[in-house]
Amino acid sequence: MTADFLAATRTFYDTIAEDYADHFRAELVGRPLERALLATYAELVGAGGAVADLGCGPGRTTGRLAALGLSVSGLDLSASMLAVARRENPGLRFVQGSMLELETADGALDGVVCWYSSIHTPDDHLPALFAEFRRVLRPGGHLLLAFQVGDVARRFEDPWGHPVALDFERRRPERMTALLARAGFTPHSSTVREADERLGESSPQAFLIAVA
């Protein structure tokens, strides 16, 4: 699938990969709820479960899930982000590709994680995205979806002085849950916490777990 938003996303993260990785190196340190949710998710999937971290970026969440006992691999559009991920997570598998067209067999995975990576997918592509997640999950497999809450996208321009820009979509948990249901998922949990200004956040954060 060739789409302008995929090219824009790839270019944005290829350009800022090293700065992004440095800035968010300790991103989970001040986020105890996120650490607890990842641990809960790992327990739901089960030790050794096959999980894909889609839109993995520099691989921080991928590494965390591996440390929690999952058999996890990462996928990202950005070759530069994947270079960081491989460097910082030796031994884990990372591949380049689009999460809208996964080279994964039907029902092959026990889990799919989409950790703040659906935020660059336009609204009209979300049904196809969630259908693809459902396709690769076995019956009873678990999806973890994280995103910022809101109604209006936030545009980031010239990050760290680089001449690139990208929209970051904010969405309502209720709407995302409804879209997941239409794709064949059953809701398991919905968690929302308020924005933490100390962490530079400007919107609440949502975490949905759903069962295929």
Side-chain angles (χ1 to χ4, degrees), residues 52-146:
D53 181 13
L54 303 179
C56 64
R60 300 281 153 65
T61 303
T62 325
R64 184 81 180 187
L65 293 168
L68 289 167
L70 298 178
S71 177
V72 60
S73 61
L75 175 141
D76 204 90
L77 284 170
S78 167
S80 297
M81 281 290 197
L82 290 170
V84 176
R86 293 179 181 122
R87 183 179 72 219
E88 298 192 356
N89 299 275
L92 295 185
R93 178 173 177 264
F94 294 94
V95 298
Q96 187 173 20
S98 167
M99 58 187 177
L100 281 157
E101 291 184 333
L102 298 170
E103 295 183 4
T104 304
D106 295 1
L109 297 175
D110 300 302
V112 164
V113 173
C114 187
W115 193 257
Y116 294 99
S117 47
S118 67
I119 60 176
H120 305 306
T121 303
D123 285 349
D124 59 348
H125 288 271
L126 287 177
L129 180 67
F130 294 159
E132 186 70 345
F133 292 171
R134 179 65 186 85
R135 180 185 71 78
V136 299
L137 280 168
R138 65 167 177 80
H142 287 79
L143 168 68
L144 172 58
L145 183 68

